[in-house]
Amino acid sequence: LSGSTTHDFGNITAVNTATTTVTITGAQTGDSVIVNPSTALEAGIDIYGYVSATDTVTIVANNSTAGAINPASRTYYVTVLKV
């Protein structure tokens, strides 16, 4: 299962996260998720995803630094692996 979304997370404050969701038909809680950004992420930003509800994947942008980061808008490609 796969899909994509283009998103701008905006300013993420120090040691904080921001989220967005994408519809992936057939995704179920407990499935594994892979998120691939279309361009390189800014230093200090980590991306991961999880199935938060049936057909819904939440993408999380994590700022692990001591300062705010404003990631660029980009496309995120999502793959869901059935378990």
Side-chain angles (χ1 to χ4, degrees):
L1 308 174
S2 62
S4 65
T5 188
T6 299
H7 187 72
D8 183 348
F9 284 102
N11 194 52
I12 305 173
T13 58
V15 192
N16 210 341
T17 61
T19 64
T20 189
T21 60
V22 59
T23 299
I24 306 290
T25 303
Q28 296 179 337
T29 303
D31 290 345
S32 293
V33 175
I34 300 168
V35 179
N36 290 305
S38 59
T39 58
L41 295 171
E42 292 76 9
I45 295 290
D46 302 311
I47 295 289
Y48 65 91
Y50 63 94
V51 180
S52 52
T54 300
D55 300 333
T56 303
V57 170
T58 295
I59 300 171
V60 180
N62 178 55
N63 175 1
S64 59
T65 72
I69 300 174
N70 189 353
S73 177
R74 61 177 51 89
T75 300
Y76 296 92
Y77 300 97
V78 178
T79 303
V80 175
L81 305 173
K82 303 299 287 176
V83 293

